[in-house]
Amino acid sequence: MENKMFFYNTASKRLERFVPKQDGKVAMYTCGPTVYHYAHIGNLRSYIMEDVLEKTLRYIGYDVKRVMNITDVGHLSSDADTGEDKMLKGAKREHKTVMEIAGFYTDAFFDDCGKLNIKRPDVVEPATNCINDFIRVIRRLLEKEYAYESGGNIYFDTSKLDEYYVLSNQSEKELLVGVREDVEEDGNKKNKSDFVLWFTKSKFDDQELKWESPWGLGYPGWHIECSCISMKHLGEYLDLHCGGVDNIFPHHTNEIAQSEAYLGHEWCKYWFHVNHLNDESGKMSKSNGDFLTVALLESKGYEPLAYRLFCLQSHYRKPLKFTYEALDNMEAAYEKLTKRIGALEKEGEIDEAKFVEYRERFETALCDDLNSSMAVTVLYDMLKDGMSDATKYALAESFDQVLSLGLLTAHAAKAAGQEVDAEEERYILAKIEERKAAKKEKNFARADEIRAELLEKGIVLEDTREGVKWKKSNS
Ligand code: AMP
Ligand code: ZN
């Protein structure tokens, strides 16, 4: 089939035509979440844009198989093999076992994905399911002398490679300084950039999950899981690997090193990275505890799909700054857009020529380095065009296979969701009056209490210039 998709390949550092190894088929791998806490909306930006990429590939005719791991062991608080295991940290925080934490936050992650219309990958594999696969690959790396045992741990020997820093623009020397600054010295490593494949010794002996291995009781490093899970389900050749930009180094760099050392040939040709979502204070991170989640946006009355639209309106390679003001604008735009589509008459004659013209424009935008905001512009343009409602409706339906904004259903669902019976309405209005009175008396604690009471019943209050408005929350 015709390969018309172009995107920026981090491996070649340029815009490239995407040509999968097998005609018409795509083997795609995505680094999954570390399930020690809720995903923040920054993580979800990466998953939204990867979802758009996957759906674009399907839209233009590829048969895609997508695999994602769930990191439930081995990801330490520094990406460079130091610090405590993030899962253990989560378990201690909540006085639960690591597996309980993993189960809970894996479900929470897919709930969030559901609310954002992110498709579940064809295969989802937790790292703890694959310990024997990791051991087998590490054994082979030892046999091939790409790995060595030192101080009880197994390390990958980066000096055995002709080129280690394949994904980075920085020179080897600069990166070495970075590594040195980041990491507490590990005297067992032969080279600063070597990384752990299997731990039997760590500073944190209370590691809850440990497995028998030829090197003693221990647990795998983080990087090895993605190489092994990818090879297990997608074979020796991977077409496309995705993640956020923070995964480029060391995680993806190490994945390439160990996979190619193991396989003896090139492993993955195309690397797709999504830039970060930042808040006012900088990069969002789960480790600082207080972070933005889908649930938080919902509790403030936002429609999660308005956040999806917010992400689609900016280019995936640019950093994106989150502000509530920007989200307010997006929420208003989303409402207007879905209302307009909801009002279209769907029965009638379809103008085939127009349909093809707009579909082509839509594909061209997405095939141009996944220009999702241009794709949304094509949607707006076609709504303004003077063709039949039925043609517009059919195009909106088609575009939504990729945009996944609930374009056809959001308006009707919202209208139905806002219906309350007369008694409920009386109750809400009485509470609003009571809150107004409390505020007048400067009893803000009571006013907040009333807001919380209503929220408990699924009603969100909004203080607007025209007075207090209420709506049903989305959860
Ligand atoms: P984690 O759960 O920490 O393993 O991260 C899950 C995914 O989110 C990875 O692909 C990260 O690269 C990505 N990620 C982390 N922080 C951000 C952010 N602020 N904006 C966008 N993506 C992010
Ligand atoms: Zn990974």
Side-chain angles (χ1 to χ4, degrees), residues 424 427-428 431 451-460 472-473:
E424 200 180 353
Y427 168 81
I428 297 166
K431 283 284 169 194
R451 178 193 278 281
E453 277 170 31
L454 284 171
L455 193 59
E456 187 98 327
K457 293 192 158 53
I459 303 296
V460 186
K472 282 201 164 180
S473 74

Side-chain angles (χ1 to χ4, degrees), residues 94-282:
E94 297 184 20
H95 308 289
K96 296 206 176 106
T97 65
V98 164
M99 281 339 258
E100 280 167 347
I101 290 288
F104 179 83
Y105 288 113
T106 302
D107 290 347
F109 172 72
F110 286 112
D111 276 356
D112 286 345
C113 288
K115 287 175 183 168
L116 293 165
N117 283 348
I118 297 169
K119 179 183 169 296
R120 193 183 169 97
D122 303 292
V123 178
V124 175
E125 180 90 273
T128 50
N129 272 2
C130 304
I131 302 298
N132 288 336
D133 298 285
F134 307 157
I135 290 175
R136 195 172 38 79
V137 171
I138 297 169
R139 237 191 184 139
R140 185 80 188 116
L141 288 171
L142 280 162
E143 280 164 19
K144 290 179 104 175
E145 296 183 357
Y146 278 108
Y148 58 92
E149 188 167 355
S150 178
N153 294 336
I154 309 296
Y155 294 88
F156 186 90
D157 186 347
T158 53
S159 70
K160 293 282 165 72
L161 303 174
D162 294 337
E163 205 194 347
Y164 167 60
Y165 298 107
V166 282
L167 283 186
S168 177
N169 276 323
Q170 286 159 279
S171 74
E172 199 153 318
K173 221 166 141 202
E174 277 171 306
L175 273 165
L176 279 176
V177 175
V179 171
R180 207 172 292 142
E181 279 168 358
D182 257 334
V183 180
E184 259 175 73
E185 295 280 334
D186 176 350
N188 295 322
K189 288 187 186 182
K190 284 191 198 163
N191 312 288
K192 291 273 187 290
S193 51
D194 292 354
F195 54 92
V196 179
L197 297 166
W198 186 269
F199 290 95
T200 63
K201 296 267 181 311
S202 91
K203 278 186 297 173
F204 300 97
D205 267 348
D206 53 352
Q207 181 73 16
E208 200 179 293
L209 297 177
K210 290 185 189 181
W211 293 265
E212 283 298 344
S213 80
W215 319 287
L217 198 63
Y219 60 99
W222 171 38
H223 315 299
I224 194 71
E225 71 179 71
C226 287
S227 294
C228 292
I229 292 174
S230 164
M231 288 189 237
K232 180 174 172 183
H233 296 286
L234 296 166
E236 287 192 12
Y237 293 93
L238 184 60
D239 293 308
L240 172 56
H241 195 310
C242 317
V245 284
D246 59 312
N247 284 162
I248 295 174
F249 185 83
H251 185 48
H252 290 166
T253 304
N254 291 349
E255 278 187 41
I256 294 172
Q258 66 205 1
S259 301
E260 297 195 349
Y262 171 77
L263 293 167
H265 59 70
E266 188 189 47
W267 172 49
C268 175
K269 193 150 177 221
Y270 300 91
W271 290 80
F272 175 90
H273 289 105
V274 181
N275 213 319
H276 278 160
L277 179 82
N278 302 307
D279 59 19
E280 316 271 1
S281 60

Side-chain angles (χ1 to χ4, degrees), residues 384-396:
K384 275 187 266 169
D385 198 321
M387 55 193 163
S388 72
D389 266 18
T391 313
K392 292 182 185 178
Y393 189 89
L395 279 165

